[in-house]
Amino acid sequence: MQITESNALNEQLNNGDVQPWYATQSGPMLVINDEIHPQFNPNSSSIKLRNGVGVCRDGSIQLVNSDEPVSFYQFAELFKDELGCSNALFLDGGIASALYAPSIDKQDKKEMGVMIGLVENKE
């Protein structure tokens, strides 16, 4: 899996460097090549529930849904510093944030549109 900024993806597509079989667009990027997005303000007072996805240096994929309102900067810090994600993308937030994960007893009762899921392959 790869998370990249849209202009970088266009360049990769034009060069034939990637051939994605599935992609989604959201944003903004939270972490770009191990750096917090340069437009985020560490002192921002704009806090909301947020969710995002990161690809981490250890190869793991981290999906995060905040339990409490956070700023973009705080959310990006979580991905970069605590989860070790080199690249992370904001997916959505506020009332659109929902999580269905019975294994951790989390089943938000909200209407859901686009969903990302993890399915075990039993080959």
Side-chain angles (χ1 to χ4, degrees):
M1 179 174 168
Q2 177 181 345
I3 295 175
T4 189
E5 192 270 329
S6 57
N7 289 330
L9 176 61
N10 285 337
E11 185 176 321
Q12 292 172 343
L13 290 169
N14 290 335
N15 293 338
D17 295 336
V18 296
Q19 295 179 328
W21 58 270
Y22 180 79
T24 189
Q25 180 181 355
S26 192
M29 291 286 291
L30 298 166
V31 181
I32 306 166
N33 300 325
D34 288 310
E35 297 293 330
I36 292 176
H37 194 296
Q39 292 184 347
F40 293 163
N41 179 352
N43 300 314
S44 174
S45 61
S46 176
I47 59 171
K48 298 182 180 182
L49 293 174
R50 304 189 191 277
N51 62 52
V53 60
V55 175
C56 303
R57 291 181 284 281
D58 66 3
S60 68
I61 299 167
Q62 299 289 329
L63 293 159
V64 177
N65 199 26
S66 70
D67 289 333
E68 296 179 12
V70 294
S71 70
F72 274 128
Y73 192 91
Q74 291 168 319
F75 202 47
E77 269 187 324
L78 170 78
F79 279 100
K80 178 183 174 287
D81 297 337
E82 294 183 39
L83 300 175
C85 296
S86 297
N87 291 285
L89 177 69
F90 172 69
L91 292 173
D92 212 330
I95 61 171
S97 294
L99 179 64
Y100 176 78
S103 64
I104 60 171
D105 199 30
K106 181 77 170 157
Q107 301 175 34
D108 294 336
K109 305 287 188 215
K110 297 179 182 178
E111 296 284 330
M112 293 188 208
V114 175
M115 292 186 277
I116 297 172
L118 174 64
V119 179
E120 184 178 356
N121 187 350
K122 299 216 179 205
E123 287 184 20

